[in-house]
Amino acid sequence: MIIIMKMGAGEEQIQEVVGQIEEMGFRAHLSCGEERTIIGVIGDERLVSPHVFELMEGVERTVPILHPFKLASRDFKPEDTVIPINGMHIGSREVVVMAGPCAVESREQLLETAWAVKEAGVRILRGGAFKPRTSPYSFQGLGKDGLEILAEVKEETGLAIVTEVMAPEDVPLVACYADILQVGARSMQNFSLLHAVGESKMPILLKRGMMSTLEELLMAAEYILSHDNYRVMLCERGIRTFDEKYTRNTLDINAVPVLQGLTHLPVIVDPSHGTGRWELVGPVAKAAVAAGADGLLIEVHPEPQRALSDGAQSLKPERFAQLIKELRRVAEAVGRGIG
Amino acid sequence: MIIIMKMGAGEEQIQEVVGQIEEMGFRAHLSCGEERTIIGVIGDERLVSPHVFELMEGVERTVPILHPFKLASRDFKPEDTVIPINGMHIGSREVVVMAGPCAVESREQLLETAWAVKEAGVRILRGGAFKPRTSPYSFQGLGKDGLEILAEVKEETGLAIVTEVMAPEDVPLVACYADILQVGARSMQNFSLLHAVGESKMPILLKRGMMSTLEELLMAAEYILSHDNYRVMLCERGIRTFDEKYTRNTLDINAVPVLQGLTHLPVIVDPSHGTGRWELVGPVAKAAVAAGADGLLIEVHPEPQRALSDGAQSLKPERFAQLIKELRRVAEAVGRGIG
Amino acid sequence: MIIIMKMGAGEEQIQEVVGQIEEMGFRAHLSCGEERTIIGVIGDERLVSPHVFELMEGVERTVPILHPFKLASRDFKPEDTVIPINGMHIGSREVVVMAGPCAVESREQLLETAWAVKEAGVRILRGGAFKPRTSPYSFQGLGKDGLEILAEVKEETGLAIVTEVMAPEDVPLVACYADILQVGARSMQNFSLLHAVGESKMPILLKRGMMSTLEELLMAAEYILSHDNYRVMLCERGIRTFDEKYTRNTLDINAVPVLQGLTHLPVIVDPSHGTGRWELVGPVAKAAVAAGADGLLIEVHPEPQRALSDGAQSLKPERFAQLIKELRRVAEAVGRGIG
Amino acid sequence: MIIIMKMGAGEEQIQEVVGQIEEMGFRAHLSCGEERTIIGVIGDERLVSPHVFELMEGVERTVPILHPFKLASRDFKPEDTVIPINGMHIGSREVVVMAGPCAVESREQLLETAWAVKEAGVRILRGGAFKPRTSPYSFQGLGKDGLEILAEVKEETGLAIVTEVMAPEDVPLVACYADILQVGARSMQNFSLLHAVGESKMPILLKRGMMSTLEELLMAAEYILSHDNYRVMLCERGIRTFDEKYTRNTLDINAVPVLQGLTHLPVIVDPSHGTGRWELVGPVAKAAVAAGADGLLIEVHPEPQRALSDGAQSLKPERFAQLIKELRRVAEAVGRGIG
């Protein structure tokens, strides 16, 4: 951490800051510029609250030097984390597609979708049993019954399952059925839940909050990693901006290479939520693969207009199958494959 | 709901939409403009997903007519909701101030703050026992021990207590100690928690998510109200914008009169989180009272530089006492008092 | 336009609205729902200010039906606009790359860059002579001398020139030197300038303001088109969001397919400004091509660390040449070529 | 400026950075932390582009120490700037109200409004002759005829005039008629215009761009101040955020005390654009005064529903007169008066 003193801060004020630094067990390092003095704090700044200094006389502001995340950083673990699921390796050369309906609505609906996505080459099925909905009047998911349907369809098709868990007390239950636990965008800073999924030791798909910074996403991952659970995938799913007239969210494509520079964890993109409109899912999915995403999360529904949730952004199976073919060409163009 | 057809949509497409409307038990109402046809859906649109129509051939988009919230709306309940707490009436003529430290750190710290804010005229003490923190390495609150301290201080000073609850399973415990349960900004769309605090029948202070629209805030309130728990206060605490260089958040002052027009629930303002810097708390607190806020939530700490959380935005007791005097003058200027 | 009456609006209020509509030469169309009355305004709503109705008694709000842009819309002109420049056709099958330094700094710098990008296959050179800079203390461009250098380099290399014009009075001058006039992001709503470049009849590269909606971008294009100048390219160059810690802007990849659905004008992407960091330019440029962009605008500088403007986002010539090769593969994967 | 080296940066890389610093005429100051080396650059960093260092091997990032604005800062000029206009002193104890219609529409309209606001105690009349409009199909102002009307009304009523200028070439003309030149939000970074109004030596009302940071606002002021024109007022008029459903903009109330801490220039608030709805103007205007604003800019129109621009946010004269009375009470409560 660096402490920037105000113009004209006196010697006494500087000495008080230095005293405070040393009292806390760190070393101080002074640099006297033409207009101001700057004081470096030597030691692990993650253990210091900046306001301790910011509230002292003569201090203008403090500047952090280290990333606040540690276990998630490439500094800590330079090589890519690879997460094996159902014969695939997320975070490796192959771009892994997870697909299925937003919500589990019935055995028939899920099974039909499952066979369709499997035929297109997919090996991980998505589908929500617990659904976070803005309105209490919207369909809230089938709950435990939905989990049972997921289990049956998994049994029948051999697909692995990714499904959302919303409350800490549901983690043990959902963990019995899922191969990957999804933490939704609205739960990204539900810290009780982060602790619980960390403790579960399951692979986790952690979605970025719609107005969370990349640093907050990495700090949320850090909660999970701090339980010694390193099988975490980060998912960019669109952020909220000033222009939501023609799309539900704004997919942050920059996030893909930025995250891959900062962290060793795999980066997944959700073009369905990232756009909110099925016509846009194809172009944006291709963009994600071209930018280097390690995986995609795509909503597929046999009858989107009858979907109980997110129908407007769901692809029909035949369109999805066509998209996978197109994605394969883009993946090859950037030296990867589709898994 | 209104369905806007594309330019050049054919008669057959229009008839299919009409058929769908009627099949769902609504009535359709056609209006043929010069360039396009518009179809009104007569009935309670809250029961219809717009994508049912948006995915039909020839449809350009749909426009909702009704607010998605109902119980929270002034249409449903025109008169102000007044919530009595500890001899005060939140939502009435008096502007109610709740004050105290961000986190309960020790019996001494809380007691000292409690007596100080009481002397300044405050009757509700804030203080967090469970703390949501961006970093797993930050102080996470004293938990149950913090609740015990709150209970002792309440007993000793006669102040009512507002404190945060973060997980549904903690609601019964926290409800034993608190007079008002706080749902924090990061939990505003933790729907399991909203159900649990609704069920508790306790007064609730619901903070707006830093990334939530006013409509989403009202929908979150709707979750609580739908449990027949009408003692809900809404709290504006600053939103996230593109400019966070000099403040932690951007306090949305417009939200005060906008919410008061849309809902019957009291509107509280938190200038401490809304600015993030103690020097700004005074001017912005005065602005909130001038704009018509029903209450204020202010962080006070005897030694901000030693605070384990949010020190930079906490007022010292003497400054707080001075601010209350200044607020009293502003409150009187707009025909209200400070409670 | 649709006028939504308040719940409980009386017959008299409805009749006044109808009277106002008819007085203005439109026809009114009533639809009485269960809770409210809705009134359609039949006629060209672009000629009506919504507040005329919004301020009438009993009116809750109005909803526009038509896009506010007309000449720029696909409804008005369904087929793609193709703009021929220097033997290429922007808006057709080939993805056109424009490249060069942010600012013209010297004859040597520009010439070296020009030959390098030409060798990589580029036929349009970018380079600013007039530079909009946030700080009055930053390099402001060489002005007319810069234009002279551009002319010499054009003569020598045969490259076409795209360069920015900042003030209406400079349009005739810059038009003497440029093949494409660039309207910068900060000038997107400089309406005097839009009129002037419209009048110039030159091809225009119109950059989206960092704080502008897609609708505002299309309305800015409409200013130019209304001068019967249809050779307009739209350029997505990154928007401002809440998270600018690791990038200068957030490239809005969704904008590519959204704009292509709304308008017939070609869509260009600027990954240099859209990210602000040279390491991110490659992945995001590939994403843009995969998403269907009609062109790219890329900053190249022989010695980025010595650049007088935007060095951090400039590619060195050898990296740029390598990127063009990679882009060619992505373009082919989506059925296009690089021009 | 501080240069933060990457973890593991070698001695050679550090020496190259030091060499570069010294080559540029600055002094380097090293601080070796536990994980990384930090290098301070001693000298006026406003003269250095950070990318010079950011592109060097081993450098992670740079941190600016000084504000980029200088003449506008309190460090440079600690005492408040006071601007005398028509017998008032903007930036002193009295809160100055400027009021009038958005656009000059006719002699009658302007004169009626002028007498009404004068009677309410106002001494500065606002009214636009040149109007920046998002759509080319909207009323664009009366231009020179509007200026003539402003002159007549000024002559007749003795009110001072604030009016917008949109293009550099119009500055001399508008300066003949106006007492204060307004630079609109969309022109805040029209640098040619900033130079021209700086050169005019007139008092300037500089509106913050709707998505401009406070730092950019101060840099725009710096352009004007650098022409030795110190009579600049800054105007907060609402920013663009993710939630624009119920208001046109989000008024940034925090900006008032933040700006007053950073700069000596007076801070004006425009609650009309800041909310976009006349019902909200009163509460937000009171908030601005309570927060310490030095002035207000309020739209008043005798017949808002017939206004050619911004009718929805205009107050009728009688409501405005009532508001002034209420504002007077709030101003007194914070130790000021209304001028």
Side-chain angles (χ1 to χ4, degrees):
Chain A
M1 183 187 298
I2 283 169
I3 298 166
I4 300 170
M5 301 300 291
K6 284 184 182 153
M7 252 175 73
E11 186 52 32
E12 201 175 336
Q13 293 171 337
I14 292 168
Q15 283 315 319
E16 282 211 33
V17 171
V18 170
Q20 177 69 47
I21 291 170
E22 292 174 348
E23 190 190 310
M24 295 170 84
F26 298 100
R27 278 185 304 120
H29 185 274
L30 262 73
S31 166
C32 302
E34 289 180 1
E35 298 193 19
R36 336 181 164 229
T37 294
I38 287 156
I39 308 176
V41 180
I42 318 285
D44 186 351
E45 73 186 49
R46 290 187 194 93
L47 307 172
V48 196
S49 282
H51 72 261
V52 172
F53 301 106
E54 284 166 0
L55 292 168
M56 294 182 77
E57 295 288 320
V59 173
E60 184 168 297
R61 61 194 171 98
T62 64
V63 177
I65 298 303
L66 301 181
H67 292 309
F69 48 91
K70 187 169 176 172
L71 308 176
S73 76
R74 281 230 184 253
D75 286 347
F76 180 77
K77 177 172 181 297
E79 69 283 1
D80 288 348
T81 288
V82 175
I83 304 172
I85 304 274
N86 206 18
M88 280 167 308
H89 295 83
I90 303 176
S92 70
R93 191 186 157 283
E94 63 195 348
V95 180
V96 174
V97 180
M98 316 181 198
C102 180
V104 178
E105 297 168 12
S106 71
R107 196 177 180 287
E108 295 64 39
Q109 168 246 20
L110 191 67
L111 199 57
E112 181 179 348
T113 315
W115 283 120
V117 301
K118 184 171 185 180
E119 204 169 325
V122 163
R123 276 179 277 177
I124 305 179
L125 177 69
R126 62 151 291 156
F130 295 95
K131 297 300 307 169
R133 302 303 298 272
T134 302
S135 167
Y137 309 124
S138 300
F139 174 64
Q140 310 269 320
L142 295 180
K144 192 161 185 311
D145 291 350
L147 294 176
E148 294 287 356
I149 293 173
L150 282 164
E152 289 175 47
V153 170
K154 174 181 173 170
E155 176 72 24
E156 202 156 325
T157 60
L159 291 169
I161 300 290
V162 54
T163 195
E164 177 160 356
V165 58
M166 283 173 64
E169 67 263 35
D170 294 336
V171 170
L173 176 73
V174 180
C176 292
Y177 295 89
D179 299 280
I180 304 172
L181 295 182
Q182 178 178 316
V183 174
R186 286 173 185 76
S187 305
M188 193 200 87
Q189 291 196 321
N190 182 336
F191 301 111
S192 312
L193 182 63
L194 295 176
H195 280 302
V197 301
E199 207 46 50
S200 78
K201 311 288 179 189
M202 295 278 295
I204 307 299
L205 180 73
L206 176 64
K207 298 189 94 171
R208 179 182 183 187
M210 74 183 73
M211 220 162 162
S212 299
T213 62
L214 293 177
E215 195 166 286
E216 288 168 342
L217 172 60
L218 290 164
M219 291 310 289
E222 192 86 2
Y223 266 89
I224 303 172
L225 299 175
S226 71
H227 285 272
D228 213 30
N229 181 354
Y230 273 72
R231 292 190 292 168
V232 177
M233 295 157 253
L234 306 176
C235 180
E236 161 61 32
R237 43 76 74 206
I239 56 173
R240 183 167 269 182
T241 67
F242 59 86
D243 193 5
E244 305 292 288
K245 175 143 191 182
Y246 298 107
T247 55
R248 183 174 173 183
N249 293 292
T250 299
L251 192 109
D252 180 3
I253 195 77
N254 292 1
V256 176
V258 169
L259 284 172
Q260 288 174 335
L262 293 171
T263 184
H264 48 86
L265 300 170
V267 178
I268 312 296
V269 169
D270 174 348
S272 304
H273 285 86
T275 62
R277 284 173 43 199
W278 68 265
E279 319 93 273
L280 305 175
V281 169
V284 171
K286 288 180 224 171
V289 171
D294 298 304
L296 293 170
L297 190 66
I298 299 181
E299 292 192 356
V300 179
H301 195 286
E303 289 185 284
Q305 75 281 12
R306 302 210 177 276
L308 297 180
S309 176
D310 286 352
Q313 70 196 33
S314 296
L315 294 180
K316 291 183 187 172
E318 51 273 33
R319 274 185 199 275
F320 174 73
Q322 173 60 27
L323 175 59
I324 291 289
K325 282 183 204 156
E326 295 169 17
L327 288 171
R328 220 175 280 282
R329 286 200 293 273
V330 176
E332 279 159 22
V334 294
R336 301 181 78 166
I338 294 287
Chain B
M1 184 186 299
I2 283 170
I3 299 166
I4 301 171
M5 302 298 292
K6 285 184 180 153
M7 252 175 72
E11 186 52 33
E12 202 175 334
Q13 293 171 336
I14 292 168
Q15 283 315 317
E16 283 211 32
V17 171
V18 170
Q20 176 69 46
I21 291 170
E22 291 174 349
E23 189 190 309
M24 295 171 84
F26 298 100
R27 279 185 302 121
H29 185 275
L30 262 72
S31 166
C32 302
E34 288 180 1
E35 299 193 18
R36 341 182 156 224
T37 295
I38 287 157
I39 308 177
V41 180
I42 318 284
D44 187 351
E45 73 187 48
R46 290 188 194 92
L47 307 171
V48 196
S49 282
H51 72 262
V52 173
F53 300 107
E54 284 166 0
L55 292 169
M56 295 183 76
E57 294 288 321
V59 173
E60 183 168 299
R61 61 192 170 100
T62 64
V63 177
I65 297 303
L66 301 181
H67 291 310
F69 48 90
K70 186 169 176 173
L71 307 177
S73 76
R74 280 230 185 253
D75 287 346
F76 180 76
K77 176 170 181 299
E79 71 283 0
D80 289 347
T81 288
V82 175
I83 304 172
I85 305 272
N86 207 18
M88 280 167 308
H89 295 84
I90 303 176
S92 70
R93 190 186 157 283
E94 64 195 348
V95 179
V96 175
V97 180
M98 316 180 197
C102 180
V104 178
E105 297 168 12
S106 71
R107 195 177 179 285
E108 295 63 40
Q109 169 245 21
L110 191 67
L111 198 58
E112 182 180 347
T113 315
W115 282 119
V117 302
K118 184 170 184 181
E119 204 169 324
V122 163
R123 276 178 278 176
I124 305 178
L125 178 69
R126 64 152 289 156
F130 296 95
K131 297 302 306 169
R133 301 303 297 273
T134 302
S135 167
Y137 308 124
S138 299
F139 174 64
Q140 310 269 320
L142 296 179
K144 190 158 185 314
D145 290 349
L147 294 176
E148 294 287 355
I149 293 173
L150 282 165
E152 288 175 48
V153 170
K154 174 182 173 170
E155 176 72 24
E156 203 157 323
T157 61
L159 291 169
I161 300 290
V162 54
T163 196
E164 177 161 356
V165 58
M166 283 173 63
E169 66 264 35
D170 294 335
V171 171
L173 176 74
V174 180
C176 292
Y177 294 88
D179 299 280
I180 304 173
L181 297 181
Q182 178 179 316
V183 175
R186 287 174 184 76
S187 304
M188 195 201 86
Q189 291 196 319
N190 182 335
F191 301 111
S192 312
L193 182 63
L194 295 177
H195 281 302
V197 300
E199 206 47 49
S200 77
K201 312 289 179 187
M202 296 278 294
I204 307 300
L205 180 73
L206 176 64
K207 297 189 95 172
R208 179 183 182 184
M210 73 184 73
M211 31 185 142
S212 299
T213 63
L214 294 177
E215 196 166 285
E216 287 168 343
L217 172 60
L218 290 165
M219 291 309 290
E222 192 87 0
Y223 265 89
I224 303 172
L225 299 175
S226 71
H227 286 272
D228 213 30
N229 181 356
Y230 272 72
R231 293 190 293 168
V232 176
M233 295 157 255
L234 306 176
C235 181
E236 161 60 31
R237 44 75 74 206
I239 56 173
R240 183 166 269 180
T241 66
F242 59 87
D243 192 5
E244 306 292 286
K245 175 143 191 182
Y246 298 107
T247 56
R248 183 174 174 184
N249 292 292
T250 300
L251 192 110
D252 179 3
I253 195 77
N254 291 1
V256 176
V258 169
L259 284 172
Q260 288 174 336
L262 292 171
T263 184
H264 48 86
L265 300 170
V267 178
I268 312 295
V269 168
D270 174 349
S272 304
H273 285 86
T275 62
R277 282 173 44 199
W278 68 265
E279 320 92 273
L280 305 176
V281 169
V284 171
K286 288 180 224 172
V289 171
D294 298 305
L296 293 170
L297 189 67
I298 299 181
E299 291 191 358
V300 179
H301 195 287
E303 289 185 284
Q305 75 281 13
R306 303 209 177 275
L308 297 178
S309 175
D310 286 353
Q313 70 197 33
S314 296
L315 294 180
K316 290 184 186 171
E318 51 274 33
R319 273 185 201 276
F320 174 71
Q322 174 60 28
L323 175 58
I324 292 288
K325 282 184 201 155
E326 295 170 18
L327 288 172
R328 220 174 279 284
R329 286 201 292 274
V330 176
E332 277 159 22
V334 294
R336 301 181 77 166
I338 295 288
Chain C
M1 184 187 296
I2 282 169
I3 299 165
I4 301 171
M5 302 299 292
K6 285 184 180 153
M7 252 175 74
E11 186 54 30
E12 200 175 337
Q13 293 171 336
I14 293 168
Q15 284 315 317
E16 282 211 32
V17 171
V18 170
Q20 177 68 47
I21 291 169
E22 292 174 348
E23 189 189 313
M24 294 171 84
F26 298 100
R27 278 185 303 119
H29 185 275
L30 262 73
S31 166
C32 302
E34 287 179 3
E35 297 193 19
R36 352 188 147 215
T37 294
I38 287 157
I39 308 177
V41 180
I42 317 285
D44 186 351
E45 73 187 47
R46 289 188 195 92
L47 306 172
V48 196
S49 282
H51 72 261
V52 173
F53 300 107
E54 283 166 359
L55 292 169
M56 295 182 77
E57 295 288 320
V59 172
E60 185 168 296
R61 61 191 171 101
T62 63
V63 177
I65 298 304
L66 302 181
H67 292 309
F69 48 90
K70 187 169 177 175
L71 308 177
S73 76
R74 280 230 185 255
D75 287 347
F76 179 77
K77 176 171 181 297
E79 71 282 2
D80 288 348
T81 288
V82 175
I83 304 173
I85 305 272
N86 206 17
M88 281 168 307
H89 295 84
I90 304 175
S92 70
R93 191 186 158 281
E94 63 196 349
V95 179
V96 174
V97 180
M98 314 181 200
C102 180
V104 178
E105 297 168 12
S106 70
R107 195 176 180 286
E108 295 64 41
Q109 168 246 21
L110 191 67
L111 198 58
E112 181 179 347
T113 316
W115 283 120
V117 301
K118 184 170 186 181
E119 206 169 323
V122 163
R123 275 178 278 175
I124 304 179
L125 178 69
R126 63 150 290 155
F130 296 95
K131 297 301 306 168
R133 301 303 297 273
T134 302
S135 167
Y137 309 124
S138 300
F139 174 63
Q140 309 269 321
L142 295 181
K144 190 157 187 312
D145 291 349
L147 294 176
E148 295 286 355
I149 294 172
L150 283 164
E152 288 175 48
V153 170
K154 174 181 174 172
E155 177 71 24
E156 203 156 324
T157 60
L159 291 169
I161 300 291
V162 54
T163 196
E164 177 161 356
V165 58
M166 283 173 64
E169 67 263 34
D170 294 335
V171 170
L173 176 73
V174 181
C176 291
Y177 295 88
D179 298 281
I180 304 174
L181 297 181
Q182 178 178 315
V183 174
R186 287 174 185 77
S187 306
M188 194 201 87
Q189 292 196 321
N190 182 337
F191 301 110
S192 312
L193 183 63
L194 295 176
H195 281 301
V197 300
E199 206 47 48
S200 77
K201 311 290 178 186
M202 295 278 295
I204 307 299
L205 180 73
L206 176 65
K207 297 189 95 170
R208 179 182 183 186
M210 74 183 73
M211 32 185 140
S212 299
T213 63
L214 294 178
E215 196 167 285
E216 288 168 342
L217 173 60
L218 290 165
M219 292 309 290
E222 193 86 0
Y223 265 88
I224 303 172
L225 299 175
S226 71
H227 285 272
D228 213 28
N229 181 355
Y230 272 72
R231 294 189 293 169
V232 177
M233 296 157 252
L234 306 176
C235 180
E236 161 60 32
R237 44 77 72 205
I239 56 173
R240 184 166 267 181
T241 67
F242 59 88
D243 192 4
E244 305 292 287
K245 175 144 191 181
Y246 298 107
T247 55
R248 182 174 174 184
N249 292 292
T250 300
L251 192 110
D252 179 3
I253 195 76
N254 292 2
V256 177
V258 169
L259 284 172
Q260 288 174 336
L262 293 172
T263 184
H264 49 86
L265 300 170
V267 178
I268 312 296
V269 168
D270 174 349
S272 303
H273 285 86
T275 62
R277 282 174 45 199
W278 68 265
E279 319 92 274
L280 306 175
V281 169
V284 171
K286 288 180 223 171
V289 171
D294 297 304
L296 293 171
L297 189 66
I298 299 181
E299 290 192 356
V300 178
H301 195 287
E303 289 185 284
Q305 75 281 12
R306 302 209 178 275
L308 298 179
S309 176
D310 286 354
Q313 70 196 33
S314 295
L315 294 180
K316 290 185 188 172
E318 50 274 34
R319 275 185 199 277
F320 174 72
Q322 174 60 27
L323 175 59
I324 291 288
K325 282 183 201 153
E326 295 170 19
L327 288 172
R328 221 175 280 283
R329 288 201 291 274
V330 176
E332 278 158 22
V334 295
R336 300 181 78 167
I338 294 286
Chain D
M1 184 188 297
I2 283 168
I3 298 166
I4 301 171
M5 302 300 291
K6 285 184 181 154
M7 253 175 73
E11 186 53 30
E12 200 176 336
Q13 293 171 336
I14 291 168
Q15 283 315 318
E16 282 211 33
V17 171
V18 170
Q20 176 70 47
I21 291 170
E22 293 173 347
E23 189 190 311
M24 295 170 82
F26 298 100
R27 279 184 304 120
H29 185 275
L30 262 73
S31 166
C32 303
E34 289 180 2
E35 299 194 18
R36 344 182 156 223
T37 294
I38 287 156
I39 308 177
V41 180
I42 318 284
D44 186 351
E45 73 186 48
R46 289 186 193 93
L47 306 172
V48 196
S49 281
H51 73 263
V52 173
F53 301 106
E54 283 166 0
L55 293 169
M56 294 183 78
E57 295 288 319
V59 172
E60 183 168 299
R61 61 191 170 101
T62 64
V63 176
I65 297 304
L66 301 181
H67 292 308
F69 48 91
K70 187 169 176 176
L71 308 177
S73 76
R74 281 229 186 254
D75 287 347
F76 179 77
K77 177 171 181 296
E79 70 282 2
D80 289 347
T81 288
V82 175
I83 303 172
I85 304 271
N86 206 17
M88 280 168 306
H89 295 83
I90 304 176
S92 69
R93 191 186 158 282
E94 64 195 348
V95 180
V96 175
V97 180
M98 315 180 198
C102 180
V104 178
E105 297 168 11
S106 70
R107 196 177 179 286
E108 295 63 40
Q109 169 245 20
L110 191 68
L111 198 59
E112 181 179 347
T113 315
W115 283 119
V117 301
K118 184 170 185 182
E119 205 169 325
V122 164
R123 275 178 278 176
I124 304 178
L125 178 69
R126 63 151 290 156
F130 296 95
K131 297 301 307 168
R133 302 303 297 273
T134 302
S135 167
Y137 309 124
S138 300
F139 174 63
Q140 309 269 321
L142 295 181
K144 192 159 185 309
D145 291 349
L147 294 176
E148 295 286 357
I149 293 173
L150 283 164
E152 287 175 50
V153 170
K154 174 182 173 171
E155 176 72 25
E156 202 157 326
T157 61
L159 292 169
I161 300 291
V162 54
T163 196
E164 178 161 356
V165 58
M166 284 172 64
E169 66 263 35
D170 294 335
V171 170
L173 176 74
V174 180
C176 291
Y177 294 89
D179 298 281
I180 304 172
L181 296 181
Q182 178 179 314
V183 174
R186 287 174 184 78
S187 305
M188 194 200 86
Q189 291 196 321
N190 182 336
F191 301 111
S192 312
L193 183 62
L194 295 177
H195 281 302
V197 300
E199 208 46 50
S200 77
K201 311 292 178 184
M202 295 278 295
I204 307 299
L205 180 73
L206 177 63
K207 299 188 94 173
R208 180 183 183 186
M210 73 182 75
M211 220 161 161
S212 300
T213 63
L214 293 178
E215 197 166 285
E216 288 168 341
L217 172 60
L218 290 165
M219 291 310 288
E222 193 86 0
Y223 265 89
I224 303 172
L225 298 175
S226 72
H227 286 272
D228 213 31
N229 181 356
Y230 272 72
R231 293 189 292 168
V232 177
M233 295 157 254
L234 305 176
C235 181
E236 161 60 33
R237 44 74 75 205
I239 56 174
R240 184 166 268 182
T241 67
F242 60 87
D243 192 4
E244 305 291 287
K245 174 144 190 181
Y246 298 108
T247 55
R248 182 174 174 184
N249 292 292
T250 299
L251 192 110
D252 179 3
I253 195 75
N254 292 2
V256 177
V258 169
L259 284 173
Q260 288 175 336
L262 293 172
T263 185
H264 48 86
L265 300 170
V267 178
I268 312 296
V269 169
D270 174 350
S272 304
H273 285 86
T275 61
R277 281 174 44 199
W278 68 265
E279 320 91 274
L280 306 175
V281 169
V284 171
K286 287 181 224 171
V289 171
D294 298 304
L296 293 170
L297 189 66
I298 299 181
E299 290 191 357
V300 179
H301 195 287
E303 289 185 285
Q305 75 281 12
R306 302 209 177 276
L308 297 179
S309 174
D310 286 353
Q313 69 197 33
S314 296
L315 294 180
K316 290 185 189 171
E318 51 272 34
R319 273 185 201 276
F320 174 72
Q322 173 60 28
L323 175 59
I324 291 289
K325 282 183 202 155
E326 295 170 17
L327 289 171
R328 220 175 279 282
R329 287 200 292 273
V330 176
E332 277 159 22
V334 294
R336 301 181 79 167
I338 294 287

